[in-house]
């Protein structure tokens, strides 16, 4: 029931426009992740949902009720801040119950709620401590406790994990995911870590320069990126973007790839009706590293597998996999091989291109074709 | 040959800071701490108009001091002045800081206005307020000229009320400074905490009372120490404003010390009063400095 809808929202600080017409709709129980490079307006949008910042134009609704002019405390939302923003003069228990106290909840009930949340987050032994006596991860839990205890309609998180070390970040990520599954609450979560976005989200909104680039499920964003920015932003290592010419080969659209030894090969990209108009024109081919593999690890049921000998320029072992860099059309292209595939620098390897997941972009508009 | 020049150059480089600091160190040692000891010694001699260093009497002067009526008046006045001065400056400073913190437009201008009195010397403040409060010259006369003939404000010449005029002038001078201290403290509070408080449903008043002001403890302490030692040392303001009068109605320890030491030929008693003041101030400042430096070493 706690859906959130953002309609054509603009935000300007004086003459500088920070948000340029954002449209986002999510359902109750959705986990929306806002991602984008630094300064793209994620925090601004979150603050506007919370009511901490005014809306220049447009409309924000929570459960079909326009909240543009509703005070933050009456929107029934809770927020976890990047700095955690715990009150340093109060102990953990007071920090968690402060919001309930301000809402005039009786003391006994407050105690029960705090105990419940403390148990859920496993911070019971910390209740009497001051925030300055806690580690980063513990502070993070307390900040979450302060949000959870209010049982709000919507949770807002502004980069809640960015101050933690790598290991703790992964642990907390899992816990947040579990929490979402258990409570089924609606969450809006800001991060600029695309792995966090992929693992947590039911929906991702990618922003750049105050403009929404794409809104969709993680799989949609990953497999059908709306434009080259989204394609490059999601996934690590990021998608290979290779300028190429679209040609017809046996009546099917294909891209011409020139290898390092000047020999060329044709890689059919599937028969998408939208591709027909582009035959004979330059396009940008987008290939994820995991679609460029050694023969053994190729996706066998794919209808569009093509093999070719390629010279390996660089290998980057990561343990389980090895990233092999080859050159196509003068660009460095990363492929993901099994560690045991036998790729050696300076030698040729039989490489499989799985063109089922290939995408084409318009070099001018950078939008996806088809 | 070159070896020796290098070593002498090294020696100079290593000891330059000490060389540069040593004159001021020696001067401070002699003129401040040396004279403190000298005064302590005089306070235990039978010195009257001039120091008589060979007439040791132990703590006799201190006993005499506590039996002197004027010293009792000075202490009473200090209690009144000190309490009101510290309280009003603190409260007013905090209120002004909170008002200025509301993102008002002319903040820079207003801050300067409130801070300016601090740039004046207490002598100027005292003289200005003397004119302003003088029934024949300032406020009262102006009010009469404007037609309010029943208006009367004679605190300056009223022995019962004169000490309060010292409070007024002192507060006028210092509350802007206290405001600046509090404002810096307010600005140091994390903005996200204020947002969190807003989401928690705290009103502006509750946010100040429950979250912001408790975090200003260090500022309160600093303000107290600064104001307390200014209150105890206050001399120039009183001299310029009331001269200790009318009669001895606004005598404070500092004016007492001056008049006994230099005009009433009771140098021993005057020195004793100076030592008492020094001890009082030290009792306030030393624990504070100790806490401050210890905190820094830890932090
Ligand atoms: N009060 C303000 N006045 C003027 N410009 C502002 C203000 N607050 C933010 N901005 C600008 O708005 C833009 C978006 O800021 P925002 O904090 O939303 O970025 P962000 O996406 O959260 O970035 P980050 O990932 O670094 O946190 C930035 O370019 C910033 O300079
Ligand atoms: Mg941000």
């Amino acid at each position: 029931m706690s859906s959130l809808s953002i309609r054509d929202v603009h935000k300007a600080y004086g003459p500088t426009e920070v948000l340029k017409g954002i449209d986002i709709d999510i359902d109750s129980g959705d986990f929306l992740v806002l991602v984008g490079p630094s300064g793209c307006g994620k925090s601004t949008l979150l603050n506007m949902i919370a009511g901490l910042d005014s809306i220049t134009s447009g409309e924000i609704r929570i459960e079909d009720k326009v909240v543009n002019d509703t005070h933050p405390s009456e929107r029934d939302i809770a927020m976890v801040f990047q700095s955690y923003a715990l009150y340093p003069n109060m102990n953990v228990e007071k920090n968690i119950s402060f919001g309930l106290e301000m809402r005039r909840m009786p003391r006994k009930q407050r105690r029960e709620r705090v105990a419940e949340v403390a148990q859920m987050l496993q911070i019971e032994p910390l209740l009497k401590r001051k925030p300055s006596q806690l580690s980063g991860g513990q502070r993070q839990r307390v900040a979450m406790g302060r949000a959870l205890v209010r049982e709000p309609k919507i949770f807002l998180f502004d980069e809640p994990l960015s101050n933690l070390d790598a290991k703790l970040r992964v642990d907390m990520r899992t816990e947040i995911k579990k929490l979402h599954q258990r409570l089924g609450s609606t969450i809006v979560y800001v991060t600029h870590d695309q792995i966090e976005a992929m693992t947590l989200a039911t929906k991702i909104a990618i922003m750049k320069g105050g403009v929404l680039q794409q809104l969709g499920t993680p799989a949609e964003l990953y497999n059908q990126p709306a434009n080259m920015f989204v394609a490059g932003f999601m996934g690590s290592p990021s998608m290979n973007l290779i300028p190429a010419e679209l040609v017809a080969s046996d009546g099917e659209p294909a891209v011409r790839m020139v290898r390092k030894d000047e020999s060329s090969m044709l890689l059919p990209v599937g028969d998408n009706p939208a591709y027909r108009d582009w035959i004979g024109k330059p396009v940008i081919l987008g290939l994820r590293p995991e679609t460029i593999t050694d023969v053994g690890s190729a996706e066998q049921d794919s209808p569009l597998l093509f093999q070719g000998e390629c010279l390996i320029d660089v290998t980057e072992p990561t343990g389980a996999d090895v990233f092999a860099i080859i050159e196509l059309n003068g660009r460095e292209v990363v492929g993901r091989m099994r560690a045991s595939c036998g790729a050696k620098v300076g030698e040729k390897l039989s490489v499989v291109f799985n063109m089922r997941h290939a995408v084409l972009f318009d070099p001018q508009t950078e939008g996806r074709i088809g | 040959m070159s070896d020796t020049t290098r070593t002498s150059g090294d020696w100079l480089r290593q000891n330059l800071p000490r060389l540069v600091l040593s004159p001021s160190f020696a001067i401070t040692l002699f003129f401040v701490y040396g004279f403190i000891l000298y005064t302590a010694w005089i306070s235990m001699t039978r010195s009257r108009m001039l120091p008589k260093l060979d007439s040791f009497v132990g703590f006799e002067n201190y006993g005499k001091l506590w039996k002197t009526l004027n010293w009792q008046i000075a202490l009473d006045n200090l209690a009144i002045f000190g309490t009101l001065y510290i309280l009003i400056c603190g409260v007013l400073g905090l209120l002004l800081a909170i008002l200025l913190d509301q993102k008002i437009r002319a903040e820079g201008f207003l801050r300067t206005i409130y801070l300016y009195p601090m740039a004046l010397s207490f002598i100027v403040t005292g003289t200005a307020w003397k004119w302003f409060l003088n029934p024949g010259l300032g406020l009262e006369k102006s009010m009469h000229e404007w037609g309010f003939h029943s208006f009367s404000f004679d605190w300056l010449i009223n022995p019962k009320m004169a000490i309060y005029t010292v409070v007024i002038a002192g507060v006028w001078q210092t509350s802007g400074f206290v405001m600046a201290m509090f404002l810096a403290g307010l600005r140091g509070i994390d903005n996200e905490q204020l947002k969190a408080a807003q989401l928690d449903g705290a009103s502006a008043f509750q946010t100040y009372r429950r979250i912001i002001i408790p975090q200003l403890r260090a500022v309160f302490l600093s303000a107290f120490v600064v104001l307390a030692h200014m209150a105890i040392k206050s001399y120039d303001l009183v001299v310029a404003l009331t001269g200790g009068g009318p009669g001895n109605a606004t005598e404070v320890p500092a004016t007492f010390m001056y008049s006994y030491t230099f005009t009433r030929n009771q140098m021993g008693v005057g020195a004793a009063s100076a030592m008492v003041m020094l001890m009082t101030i030290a009792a306030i400042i030393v624990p504070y400095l100790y806490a401050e430096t210890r905190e820094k070493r830890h932090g």
Side-chain angles (χ1 to χ4, degrees):
Chain A
M1 285 306 288
S2 5
S3 58
L4 171 71
S5 116
I6 299 166
R7 298 265 159 77
D8 194 29
V9 161
H10 289 255
K11 176 71 187 178
Y13 289 110
T16 48
E17 222 183 354
V18 175
L19 294 179
K20 300 165 186 163
I22 303 286
D23 284 284
I24 294 175
D25 265 289
I26 58 168
D27 294 325
S28 168
D30 260 338
F31 196 127
L32 171 72
V33 174
L34 299 173
V35 281
S38 196
C40 70
K42 306 179 296 285
S43 299
T44 307
L45 183 59
L46 207 64
N47 280 337
M48 286 161 78
I49 297 172
L52 298 168
D53 226 335
S54 63
I55 299 169
T56 307
S57 76
E59 183 176 282
I60 293 182
R61 292 164 183 263
I62 297 175
E63 288 187 339
D64 296 323
K65 188 172 154 264
V66 178
V67 293
N68 283 22
D69 299 317
T70 312
H71 189 267
S73 63
E74 282 149 23
R75 294 187 183 198
D76 203 5
I77 45 180
M79 186 156 171
V80 177
F81 295 88
Q82 180 171 1
S83 69
Y84 310 140
L86 300 177
Y87 310 127
N89 54 308
M90 299 184 198
N91 66 21
V92 168
E93 185 177 7
K94 280 267 164 56
N95 260 288
I96 295 178
S97 65
F98 185 71
L100 303 179
E101 191 187 334
M102 290 298 115
R103 288 181 165 70
R104 308 238 159 79
M105 182 184 277
R107 183 184 297 265
K108 191 161 156 288
Q109 221 171 327
R110 266 182 355 228
R111 280 255 167 87
E112 285 164 12
R113 289 273 276 275
V114 171
E116 212 173 293
V117 166
Q119 198 210 347
M120 178 163 30
L121 295 169
Q122 294 161 6
I123 49 174
E124 288 144 311
L126 312 177
L127 284 180
K128 295 293 173 214
R129 291 210 207 154
K130 290 275 177 71
S132 59
Q133 299 163 322
L134 301 178
S135 72
Q138 291 169 335
R139 276 179 218 183
Q140 211 276 334
R141 273 167 210 272
V142 175
M144 296 224 317
R146 190 168 64 178
L148 285 173
V149 80
R150 297 230 326 263
E151 299 179 353
K153 283 188 196 135
I154 299 182
F155 288 97
L156 307 177
F157 289 80
D158 193 354
E159 305 197 26
L161 305 184
S162 60
N163 288 335
L164 304 180
D165 66 43
K167 165 105 176 59
L168 200 54
R169 196 149 60 208
V170 175
D171 292 347
M172 290 308 294
R173 197 169 75 199
T174 317
E175 282 195 35
I176 291 177
K177 181 146 195 173
K178 276 194 212 150
L179 212 61
H180 175 243
Q181 282 163 354
R182 178 144 38 116
L183 302 176
S185 36
T186 310
I187 295 180
V188 182
Y189 187 106
V190 168
T191 179
H192 44 230
D193 179 342
Q194 49 95 13
I195 298 184
E196 235 167 82
M198 291 296 286
T199 49
L200 289 173
T202 60
K203 274 194 177 161
I204 299 180
I206 294 202
M207 296 173 46
K208 179 191 167 196
V211 179
L212 182 67
Q213 302 291 312
Q214 189 173 3
L215 172 69
T217 64
E220 277 168 6
L221 262 72
Y222 194 76
N223 295 319
Q224 291 130 40
N227 55 39
M228 283 166 61
F229 175 77
V230 176
F233 198 84
M234 303 305 293
S236 167
S238 61
M239 184 184 261
N240 296 298
L241 296 168
I242 315 159
E245 192 195 353
L246 196 64
V247 295
S249 126
D250 302 335
E252 298 246 316
V255 283
R256 184 187 302 283
M257 288 285 135
V258 180
R259 281 171 283 194
K260 205 167 190 178
D261 58 5
E262 306 284 319
S263 66
S264 74
M265 59 182 174
L266 286 177
L267 297 176
V269 288
D271 197 10
N272 188 324
Y275 292 166
R276 299 227 176 99
D277 300 339
W278 285 84
I279 288 177
K281 292 181 191 162
V283 294
I284 306 259
L285 170 69
L287 277 181
R288 296 257 173 223
E290 64 269 23
T291 64
I292 304 172
T293 57
D294 58 294
V295 179
S297 49
E299 193 182 297
Q300 295 304 337
D301 59 348
S302 167
L304 289 168
L305 286 183
F306 300 94
Q307 201 167 331
E309 297 271 310
C310 293
L311 187 71
I312 308 289
D313 281 339
V314 180
T315 58
E316 292 173 352
T318 64
D321 297 319
V322 53
F323 292 114
I325 296 176
I326 57 179
E327 196 183 295
L328 290 176
N329 288 2
R331 289 296 168 99
E332 282 191 349
V333 174
V334 181
R336 185 174 197 157
M337 321 278 170
R338 276 178 312 164
S340 58
C341 71
K344 287 208 179 65
V345 175
E347 287 181 15
K348 285 202 172 169
L349 183 77
S350 194
V351 175
V352 174
F353 296 87
N354 177 4
M355 301 303 284
R356 182 199 235 175
H357 300 297
V359 283
L360 295 184
F361 298 101
D362 178 340
Q364 254 76 54
T365 64
E366 305 203 335
R368 183 161 53 93
I369 301 169
Chain B
M1 200 49 207
S2 67
D3 232 351
T4 48
T5 49
R6 205 179 64 223
T7 47
S8 70
D10 278 351
W11 183 88
L12 191 66
R13 210 170 310 130
Q14 268 174 15
N15 291 289
L16 194 62
R18 264 170 252 177
L19 283 177
V20 172
L21 284 179
S22 55
S24 66
F25 182 74
I27 289 171
T28 311
L29 203 64
F30 181 72
F31 283 101
V32 177
Y33 296 94
F35 275 73
I36 287 176
L37 289 179
Y38 184 60
T39 309
W41 182 254
I42 289 178
S43 75
M44 290 190 250
T45 63
R46 206 169 286 134
S47 303
R48 295 189 67 86
M49 198 162 101
L50 291 167
K52 250 169 77 189
L53 295 181
D54 52 357
S55 56
F56 185 77
V57 292
F59 287 97
E60 193 184 297
N61 285 327
Y62 289 85
K64 246 191 239 167
L65 176 67
W66 289 101
K67 285 193 212 98
T68 309
L69 179 65
N70 255 347
W71 179 247
Q72 293 301 335
I73 293 173
L75 286 185
D76 289 348
N77 279 335
L78 177 62
I80 297 173
F81 171 68
T83 315
L84 288 178
Y85 175 68
I86 293 172
L87 268 179
I88 299 176
C89 272
V91 171
L92 211 59
L94 181 60
L95 284 180
L96 287 174
I98 289 176
L99 286 182
L100 273 194
D101 196 35
Q102 309 303 312
K103 301 200 175 79
I104 51 173
R105 210 170 301 151
E107 189 202 310
F109 175 70
L110 287 174
R111 205 172 41 202
T112 318
I113 295 238
Y114 288 126
L115 263 179
Y116 249 119
M118 195 66 193
L120 302 177
S121 103
F122 270 118
I123 294 285
V124 177
T125 305
T127 311
W129 277 91
K130 181 163 80 180
W131 290 337
F132 181 69
L133 295 175
N134 187 319
L137 284 173
L139 185 63
E140 188 172 310
K141 182 155 178 280
S142 304
M143 293 306 261
H144 288 175
E145 277 168 7
W146 288 340
F148 301 95
H149 291 289
S150 56
F151 182 88
S152 112
F153 192 85
D154 64 347
W155 285 13
L156 194 65
I157 51 168
N158 179 343
K160 282 219 178 64
M161 304 306 282
I163 189 68
Y164 298 103
T165 62
V166 184
V167 175
I168 294 174
V171 166
W172 178 83
Q173 164 125 7
T174 331
S175 50
F177 172 67
V178 178
M179 173 206 75
M181 288 174 75
F182 277 117
L183 196 59
L186 288 176
R187 293 288 150 84
I189 286 177
D190 178 14
N191 201 20
E192 288 196 338
Q193 275 176 37
L194 306 183
K195 289 183 179 175
Q198 233 180 321
L199 284 170
D200 271 341
S203 66
F205 176 73
Q206 283 165 327
T207 309
Y208 275 108
R209 194 173 72 83
R210 300 286 304 275
I211 295 165
I212 299 178
I213 293 178
Q215 289 185 52
L216 298 180
R217 258 197 18 223
V219 183
F220 273 102
L221 189 63
S222 307
F224 173 76
V225 169
V226 170
L227 291 173
H229 96 271
M230 276 167 83
I232 295 170
K233 289 197 308 191
S234 65
Y235 170 77
D236 31 11
L237 181 65
V238 179
V239 166
L241 187 63
T242 64
N248 53 11
T250 54
E251 188 89 280
V252 288
T255 55
F256 175 94
M257 184 274 293
Y258 182 83
S259 62
Y260 273 67
T261 311
F262 298 112
T263 61
R264 294 201 191 190
N265 299 337
Q266 299 262 18
M267 191 172 272
V269 176
S273 72
M275 290 316 289
V276 171
M277 283 166 64
L278 176 72
M279 293 306 157
T280 320
I281 290 176
I284 295 172
I285 286 189
V286 169
Y288 173 74
L289 287 182
Y290 180 71
E292 280 282 284
T293 49
R294 213 179 49 154
E295 226 162 72
K296 270 187 203 115
R297 224 176 298 140
H298 278 254

